[in-house]
Amino acid sequence: MTDCIFCKIIKGEINASLIYEDEEVIAFNDIRPIAPVHFLIVPKQHVVSLAECSPSEQRLLGKILLLAPQLASELGLKGFRTMINTGREGGQEVFHLHVHVFGGGEALPKT
Ligand code: AMP
Ligand code: ZN
């Protein structure tokens, strides 16, 4: 996807504050954090959203979810919230699947 901002970060065409990378997944700090720690876990494969995932993405989705507590712990979080905005009506702005992980301040309010 040539004009996808997250694909550009993955290709190194746009800088991001990386916190994790392997052959399938990248994680970087959100540019507009809503908590003291706020990062995004993103598959390198361009998948539009959770709604476009199929059983072939099951292992990758599991890997991304398991990375959330690992990276949160490495960043010193004792607790965190995950969020996956899906579709325009779900508040999604960047149409490349990503999991928000945030925390680190006061206890987060109930949704
Ligand atoms: P969403 O509403 O779930 O699509 O969230 C997209 C998120 O990507 C927002 O929280 C943005 O602040 C974040 N974002 C957009 N562009 C960048 C960027 N270049 N680097 C880091 N985070 C970004
Ligand atoms: Zn993309």
Side-chain angles (χ1 to χ4, degrees):
M1 288 291 287
T2 48
D3 56 355
C4 168
I5 190 134
F6 288 176
C7 281
K8 286 182 177 166
I9 289 173
I10 289 158
K11 285 189 271 180
E13 294 171 5
I14 290 180
N15 283 333
S17 165
L18 292 195
I19 57 174
Y20 177 85
E21 182 170 17
D22 68 21
E23 65 285 352
E24 294 179 308
V25 175
I26 195 165
F28 49 87
N29 287 311
D30 197 296
I31 207 166
R32 285 180 280 137
I34 59 170
V37 175
H38 182 183
F39 60 91
L40 306 172
I41 310 177
V42 182
K44 287 190 171 177
Q45 177 193 340
H46 181 89
V47 179
V48 171
S49 81
L50 194 57
E52 272 75 18
C53 286
S54 62
S56 58
E57 272 78 57
Q58 186 167 318
R59 187 193 57 79
L60 184 59
L61 288 170
K63 173 175 174 170
I64 287 171
L65 278 188
L66 287 173
L67 262 174
Q70 182 192 315
L71 297 178
S73 161
E74 286 173 15
L75 292 170
L77 295 182
K78 296 191 182 78
F80 59 89
R81 181 166 292 166
T82 48
M83 178 172 77
I84 307 175
N85 296 326
T86 303
R88 233 170 262 289
E89 291 183 25
Q92 187 174 6
E93 289 178 355
V94 176
F95 289 87
H96 180 136
L97 175 67
H98 52 282
V99 176
H100 294 255
V101 182
F102 54 95
E106 295 293 305
L108 289 162
K110 295 287 172 202
T111 56

